[in-house]
Amino acid sequence: MKKDYYEVLGVSSQASSAEIKKAYRKLALKYHPDRNPGDKEAEEMFKEAAEAYDVLRDPQKRQAYDLHGMAGVAGSGFRGFNGADDIFSTFGDLFEDLFGFTGGQGRRGGMESEAGSDLRLDLAVSFEDAARGAEKEIEITRLETCNSCKGTGSGPESRTMTCPQCQGRGQIIRTEGFFRVSSQCPNCSGRGTIMTHPCKSCQGKGRVRKKNKIKTRIPAGVDTGSRLRLKGEGDAGFRGGPSGDLYIVLHVEPHDFFERKGNDIYCRIPVSFPQASLGDEVDVPTLDGRHKVKIPPGTQSGTQFRIKGLGVPDLRGYGQGDQVVEVNVITPVRLTERQKEILQEFAEIETEKNGDGFFKRILKRAEAVVSHGVGHGE
């Protein structure tokens, strides 16, 4: 005659469901076969505790047991457990919580459906498209639901049968030292069942690999490393499971003229010596067309001018950057005789204007700096 189930778990007949579960967890941890290898008494206690928990955790079985004892349990259809593997199969989630792995098989019968995998696509975009946005058509290869079997994987005459390799558990169990480790059954892919006549189009997988074209919008302001998520555009799910997502990782191509720093766009424009000296108005290329920039008289090489609002939009909506234009004064080369005469005359006027004393003072100051540096070096 079996012990009283409440006595087996060490709880009162008025114990709550939470107390019953807590008591069983404690006993399962104590008498687990991996912790008591070869101990028949511990194995029997492990089995007895599982039977007690299976009855007392179910409200209907517990009521039948409270009213009629073991006769009530037998009438409810309870047949007990054949061994540790049967216990692992029934309480797989609880053992995963206890030990960090199932200690046995997964759920009986396997999963009826499963989600599709997420996909990644690396996409190169031009500098202009990244800054101003664009619509792109991309081509991906992904798993799609089989049209022949509508994703079931079954042929016209197919029927479902229990997987003979894992006996319907969906998991193959092996012992490694003191631990019992489970892995997905390779024959049924963890589902616990196989089909006698799988679909010929997809070989029973329910999905086929196809190329597909998708249109997507590249938001203005993206940069290298920005990711776009297209929900539901990944691999199709199995047997009605949700599709995965497609993640597009962007790589912005460099530009020959523009350079991006944050949300600002930088460029350098050449101006002639007369333009820099006398001042001028020049056309500057921008991503939105040409823009006139006024060059004041006496502008030096390296001077920067900022054009408001012609940079890159902020992805979070915080306004828009500027375009920064840097002036590069070009020194004339291959002068004509006339140009040389004009520059010589210009130099003479500068000398008269500033006097020889000015240039001599600058020269002496430079010589003193060099001499001072040499003396320190010695």
Side-chain angles (χ1 to χ4, degrees):
M1 177 125 182
K2 292 188 177 182
K3 293 181 180 180
D4 177 86
Y5 282 150
Y6 291 106
E7 184 180 340
V8 169
L9 296 181
V11 297
S12 71
S13 60
Q14 305 301 317
S16 65
S17 298
E19 291 172 328
I20 290 172
K21 182 176 182 180
K22 182 178 180 181
Y24 173 61
R25 283 163 58 93
K26 184 177 179 181
L27 291 174
L29 188 63
K30 180 178 180 180
Y31 295 114
H32 193 283
D34 292 340
R35 294 194 168 189
N36 304 273
D39 190 335
K40 296 296 182 182
E41 184 178 351
E43 185 177 343
E44 188 61 30
M45 293 294 293
F46 183 71
K47 181 179 176 182
E48 202 168 61
E51 291 182 1
Y53 176 64
D54 193 54
V55 170
L56 299 183
R57 71 179 180 133
D58 186 300
Q60 292 182 345
K61 290 180 184 178
R62 183 177 180 180
Q63 185 180 24
Y65 175 74
D66 289 343
L67 291 175
H68 307 291
M70 293 303 299
V73 175
S76 68
F78 176 71
R79 295 189 178 90
F81 296 102
N82 294 325
D85 288 347
D86 201 12
I87 295 172
F88 293 141
S89 172
T90 304
F91 305 134
D93 293 342
L94 184 143
F95 284 106
E96 184 174 7
D97 188 27
L98 280 173
F99 301 104
F101 57 91
T102 60
Q105 67 199 40
R107 293 176 290 175
R108 290 179 176 174
M111 296 182 293
E112 287 301 314
S113 64
E114 61 185 50
S117 300
D118 293 336
L119 300 178
R120 167 177 169 151
L121 175 71
D122 290 271
L123 181 64
V125 295
S126 68
F127 188 94
E128 292 87 347
D129 288 345
R132 294 295 180 254
E135 187 175 85
K136 293 287 184 181
E137 184 177 71
I138 57 177
E139 184 176 83
I140 63 169
T141 301
R142 64 185 178 187
L143 290 174
E144 297 189 358
T145 301
C146 176
N147 290 327
S148 299
C149 64
K150 307 303 180 186
T152 64
S154 303
E157 300 177 358
S158 181
R159 63 183 181 86
T160 302
M161 62 178 290
T162 300
C163 175
Q165 188 164 336
C166 66
Q167 304 300 321
R169 298 186 183 97
Q171 301 285 319
I172 300 297
I173 303 169
R174 66 183 188 278
T175 300
E176 294 183 359
F178 293 102
F179 297 100
R180 183 165 301 192
V181 181
S182 65
S183 60
Q184 187 183 83
C185 175
N187 191 46
C188 64
S189 299
R191 299 182 181 92
T193 59
I194 60 174
M195 289 167 290
T196 57
H197 295 84
C199 171
K200 293 181 179 180
S201 298
C202 63
Q203 286 75 49
K205 297 178 181 178
R207 298 174 295 184
V208 292
R209 194 166 293 280
K210 290 183 178 180
K211 287 185 178 181
N212 208 311
K213 291 184 178 180
I214 303 172
K215 286 187 177 181
T216 185
R217 179 73 187 172
I218 307 296
V222 296
D223 204 351
T224 293
S226 295
R227 295 201 313 169
L228 307 180
R229 178 190 179 192
L230 304 187
K231 190 170 178 61
E233 296 292 354
D235 282 341
F238 182 78
R239 290 186 178 178
S243 296
D245 300 332
L246 173 63
Y247 289 89
I248 301 176
V249 181
L250 301 177
H251 301 270
V252 181
E253 298 172 334
H255 197 276
D256 293 335
F257 182 69
F258 298 114
E259 181 183 359
R260 178 174 176 177
K261 296 180 182 179
N263 289 333
D264 291 335
I265 294 176
Y266 284 72
C267 68
R268 298 182 70 188
I269 60 168
V271 296
S272 67
F273 177 73
Q275 285 179 305
S277 302
L278 304 175
D280 197 1
E281 192 173 66
V282 297
D283 285 333
V284 176
T286 74
L287 294 179
D288 299 321
R290 291 189 172 274
H291 187 91
K292 289 190 178 296
V293 173
K294 188 175 182 180
I295 306 297
T299 296
Q300 302 298 306
S301 191
T303 302
Q304 293 183 340
F305 301 94
R306 186 174 290 268
I307 308 174
K308 292 290 186 181
L310 289 186
V312 178
D314 189 274
L315 274 175
R316 295 165 294 180
Y318 299 143
Q320 186 163 334
D322 304 329
Q323 178 163 328
V324 180
V325 180
E326 182 177 316
V327 169
N328 182 24
V329 180
I330 303 299
T331 302
V333 294
R334 297 178 184 175
L335 301 176
T336 66
E337 290 301 323
R338 177 59 181 153
Q339 287 174 322
K340 291 179 181 179
E341 291 176 4
I342 294 174
L343 285 178
Q344 184 63 43
E345 185 179 351
F346 174 79
E348 292 174 356
I349 294 173
E350 281 291 296
T351 303
E352 292 177 2
K353 177 180 175 183
N354 297 297
D356 278 342
F358 172 78
F359 293 104
K360 288 179 180 178
R361 286 195 300 270
I362 294 298
L363 182 59
K364 286 182 179 180
R365 188 178 302 172
E367 289 174 345
V369 170
V370 173
S371 177
H372 182 70
V374 171
H376 273 281
E378 295 175 352

